[in-house]
Amino acid sequence: MTRKEQLKGDTTLQSKPSIPHHRIVFFWLVGLLTLGLVLLLGALSLYRDWQQEQQLQTQRRNFYQVQLKEVLETTLRTVELDTIRLATSPLLQRHLFHPSTNTLELLQEDYVSLARLRPSYDQIRLLDVNGHESVRINRSGKDVYRVPADALQNKAQRYYTAEGMKLAPGYTYLSPLDLNIEQNEIEVPFKPMLRMVHPVYRHTQLNGLVVVNYRAEELLQQLSNHLPAPLRPILLNDKGQWLHGGDKQDWQFMFEPQSGLAVEEPSLWQQMASQDFGQLTLGQDCLLYSWTEYGSQQTQSPRWLIGLRESGKACNALTQQYQTHAAGLLGTTALAGILLLFGWHRLRLKHLQLYHRLLINEQQLRLVTNEMGNGVIMIDAQGLTRWLNPEAERLLGWQEKEILGRCLHDIIHVTAEGENLDREECLTTHAIRTGQRQHRERDYLCTREGIIIPVSMTVSPLPKSESGGAVITFSDDREKVTAEKKLRRQAETDELTGYLNRRAILQQLEQVIRTDTEFGIIMFDLDHFKSVNDTYGHAAGDQVLIEYTRLARELLRPHDCVGRIGGEEFLLVIKHLHLNDLYQLAERVRESMDHHRCIITGHTLHVTASFGLAMHRRGESSGALLARTDKALYQAKNTGRNQVIADDSFKTASVGT
């Protein structure tokens, strides 16, 4: 074929239609379907990214919300324990029984020491039953001083005094958070103040109140320190009035009662008041909140709304951001070819960037978790371990690789006695089943070495829309348990003799009445003890009490209970003895005391004791039993002293004087 023929053939081809109509339709159809598929894939990718970032944001906010509650709980628990210790101290009971200048000064010194130890305590006060201050310790800057008697005030008209006077034994009242008022004026600069009140009982009689004024600036500052910018803590009372986080509205209710969020935004406040937790947008800020109430059933505490505030960002800002982005993506439908590829590349690049951000955030959260002072364990919906932080490894003795994929409950969750804990009593099982956060102040875990450790445990369920499961946070409470036992032992012990005090021995008596069918009690009183104090002084009297009660203890069995119920009056609770045996035991104790001589400051003292005893009758109350025994003791005192009389037989043991 010649060159001319080739050119002619080319001209013929060029004259034919380049693309048939049906091919154009097919191209656009395929192109639109491809573009639609790409857009659909892009929309799904954005939705997944939104879900992941939304979950990360929720976890972050919930984490800091839990931190705020823990700061509030930990701080107030310290104040409550200090208040209870002061109200139940043996020194205070001794002062109430024998008021003196010496015991009053010791009480004041005890309160001063506590105020110096706790810089956040603004005042520590002891009020009598009329609301008048018996002891008051004030703080002025770094100085702590006692308020003189002529400057003490009557606080009967203050609301916390009235509430404290209503408390039953063992109950504590926590006041609302407000500004301190002195002489009917709000102190300037402002002093945010909480008042922890515990009643002082002697026997069953109310003798006054111990009030600790806690300066809440420290608490509010700790709440702020636990949140990174731009997050800020918020705190409102149950009336919707700002305590913290409301900027210029903070404490406005102290001057204008009709103020606060409940007045300015009633619909928003109604929504917040009707929900235990939630989030809403206030102006340009997002509020994440939950209701909290401090303490146990024996603590009367105000209800607070606590949470965090993210300034300049609405709660649905992330959703709006993704919606805006999706709308922009739909605009790219006008593009074709390279623009479509470019758009896909850009979307993929954004996805990778977002995924990288998620990885970084996950690493940061894991780093924060690893640095926590609490043990943290994550489990799946079946209770199998997914990961645990280094603190959990240290406390439990298990390495993460050794426990992954294993059922955590069967390995470490036990009762206080070390027995396997029933699954129905397990916090984790309950949290996964109900989807609600669970908390228990005292639980028990078993380490790899078989050591049972008491813990405070919180289980937060993960969303069931994801993989499910839960995050378990626990802290080692061994030091706390030891401290509680020490405080309990101090609260039950008579300071002078080392035996049970009145409240403790009466509690033992009530317990024996409930559990034992045959027992008796002995009540004895040292004869003419007042003359010892008057002649030789109270120090000598204390030595006599110590020596003669030691003689009684030496003749008793290890499980017999000895308690001091008055100045020189003591009670013995004796189980598994008949009346004759009980009588013989009392007689041996009496003889031992009668033969003993106490050497004090060069003087030889002969001190005797009178005894009354009674056997418990079936169905008899402790009060009736004590009344019969006291009657027998009274008869022994009035018919010559230094003798034993049993109520049941009124048999008198005659002895030499």
Side-chain angles (χ1 to χ4, degrees), residues 150-184:
D150 57 356
L152 296 177
Q153 305 174 18
N154 189 287
K155 298 293 183 179
Q157 300 304 318
R158 299 308 303 275
Y159 68 91
Y160 54 84
T161 303
E163 292 297 330
M165 294 298 180
K166 302 175 185 177
L167 295 175
Y171 281 74
T172 303
Y173 171 74
L174 175 62
S175 74
L177 178 57
D178 55 17
L179 298 178
N180 195 48
I181 297 176
E182 286 293 337
Q183 303 297 336
N184 297 320

Side-chain angles (χ1 to χ4, degrees), residues 233-467:
I234 61 171
L235 190 64
L236 295 91
N237 60 24
D238 58 358
K239 297 179 182 178
Q241 298 163 332
W242 287 97
L243 304 175
H244 188 58
D247 299 325
K248 294 182 180 180
Q249 295 177 319
D250 290 349
W251 310 116
Q252 187 177 2
F253 69 93
M254 296 292 295
F255 305 93
E256 300 178 23
Q258 296 300 320
S259 62
L261 189 61
V263 176
E264 298 172 0
E265 299 287 346
S267 59
L268 290 181
W269 175 249
Q270 186 176 6
Q271 176 183 346
M272 299 170 76
S274 62
Q275 299 174 345
D276 291 337
F277 58 90
Q279 65 178 24
L280 52 81
T281 299
L282 179 64
Q284 298 297 318
D285 300 343
C286 178
L287 303 184
L288 181 71
Y289 64 89
S290 64
W291 287 98
T292 185
E293 189 172 355
Y294 166 75
S296 63
Q297 294 181 349
Q298 290 186 301
T299 303
Q300 296 184 17
S301 169
R303 192 166 177 250
W304 289 309
L305 186 140
I306 189 171
L308 48 90
R309 182 174 193 165
E310 192 165 3
S311 302
K313 188 174 183 180
C315 295
N316 62 344
L318 185 63
T319 302
Q320 293 178 348
Q321 175 185 345
Y322 274 85
Q323 289 175 346
T324 303
H325 187 70
L329 183 62
L330 291 177
T332 62
T333 54
L335 300 177
I338 296 176
L339 293 179
L340 179 62
L341 295 175
F342 177 76
W344 178 85
H345 173 72
R346 183 180 179 184
L347 180 64
R348 183 60 180 169
L349 180 61
K350 181 174 179 62
H351 172 74
L352 292 175
Q353 291 173 344
L354 182 58
Y355 183 72
H356 182 63
R357 280 181 57 198
L358 290 174
L359 288 178
I360 293 176
N361 289 337
E362 182 179 355
Q363 291 173 355
Q364 290 175 344
L365 284 178
R366 193 174 182 91
L367 178 61
V368 171
T369 304
N370 290 344
E371 294 299 320
M372 287 178 61
N374 295 338
V376 181
I377 303 174
M378 178 180 286
I379 61 171
D380 61 19
Q382 287 72 44
L384 304 181
T385 308
R386 292 169 60 181
W387 63 265
L388 61 161
N389 72 342
E391 181 64 10
E393 291 180 334
R394 184 186 70 81
L395 292 175
L396 300 176
W398 290 92
Q399 297 297 317
E400 186 180 48
K401 61 183 179 181
E402 298 174 319
I403 205 171
L404 288 180
R406 300 178 63 182
C407 181
L408 187 68
H409 174 83
D410 297 337
I411 299 174
I412 66 171
H413 212 173
V414 297
T415 65
E417 294 75 23
E419 302 292 336
N420 291 332
L421 186 69
D422 187 85
R423 283 187 177 272
E424 292 301 318
E425 300 179 11
C426 178
L427 285 183
T428 305
T429 301
H430 194 59
I432 293 177
R433 184 175 66 250
T434 63
Q436 297 179 350
R437 179 177 178 270
Q438 304 294 321
H439 177 76
R440 187 176 293 162
E441 280 296 325
R442 183 70 71 247
D443 218 329
Y444 298 90
L445 300 180
C446 183
T447 68
R448 185 174 185 179
E449 294 75 22
I451 300 173
I452 300 174
I453 59 174
V455 298
S456 175
M457 182 181 294
T458 301
V459 182
S460 302
L462 297 173
K464 293 184 179 180
S465 59
E466 303 298 327
S467 59

Side-chain angles (χ1 to χ4, degrees), residues 56 95 103 188 194 383 525 631:
L56 182 63
H95 176 70
T103 55
V188 178
L194 282 168
D525 187 284
K631 182 178 180 181

Side-chain angles (χ1 to χ4, degrees), residues 625-639:
L625 177 60
L626 288 170
R628 290 195 297 113
T629 310
D630 187 66
K631 182 178 180 181
L633 175 59
Y634 182 81
Q635 185 177 357
K637 299 286 284 188
N638 287 324
T639 56

Side-chain angles (χ1 to χ4, degrees), residues 33-146:
L33 289 175
T34 303
L35 182 58
L37 180 60
V38 170
L39 290 176
L40 178 61
L41 293 175
L44 291 175
S45 178
L46 280 175
Y47 179 74
R48 184 174 64 252
D49 294 342
W50 170 80
Q51 276 191 320
Q52 292 176 342
E53 192 161 348
Q54 184 78 13
Q55 180 182 357
L56 182 63
Q57 177 178 275
T58 301
Q59 291 176 347
R60 175 172 172 264
R61 289 175 175 175
N62 290 341
F63 170 80
Y64 288 118
Q65 180 77 354
V66 171
Q67 289 288 95
L68 294 179
K69 286 189 176 182
E70 289 182 353
V71 169
L72 180 67
E73 191 78 10
T74 302
T75 302
L76 296 182
R77 185 176 292 112
T78 300
V79 182
E80 183 180 25
L81 290 176
D82 285 342
T83 308
I84 293 174
R85 183 188 71 80
L86 295 179
T88 59
S89 71
L91 178 60
L92 178 55
Q93 292 295 318
R94 180 181 176 185
H95 176 70
L96 294 175
F97 185 75
H98 286 301
S100 66
T101 304
N102 184 38
T103 55
L104 181 62
E105 290 180 353
L106 290 176
L107 276 177
Q108 291 175 333
E109 187 60 34
D110 189 22
Y111 291 6
V112 168
S113 299
L114 180 60
R116 288 172 177 165
L117 180 65
R118 310 286 193 204
S120 57
Y121 291 178
D122 187 67
Q123 294 177 356
I124 301 177
R125 289 172 288 176
L126 174 63
L127 308 182
D128 61 21
V129 292
N130 297 316
H132 194 80
E133 295 174 334
S134 300
V135 177
R136 175 169 174 173
I137 305 302
N138 276 6
R139 176 179 298 280
S140 176
K142 295 183 179 180
D143 295 329
V144 176
Y145 64 94
R146 311 175 187 178

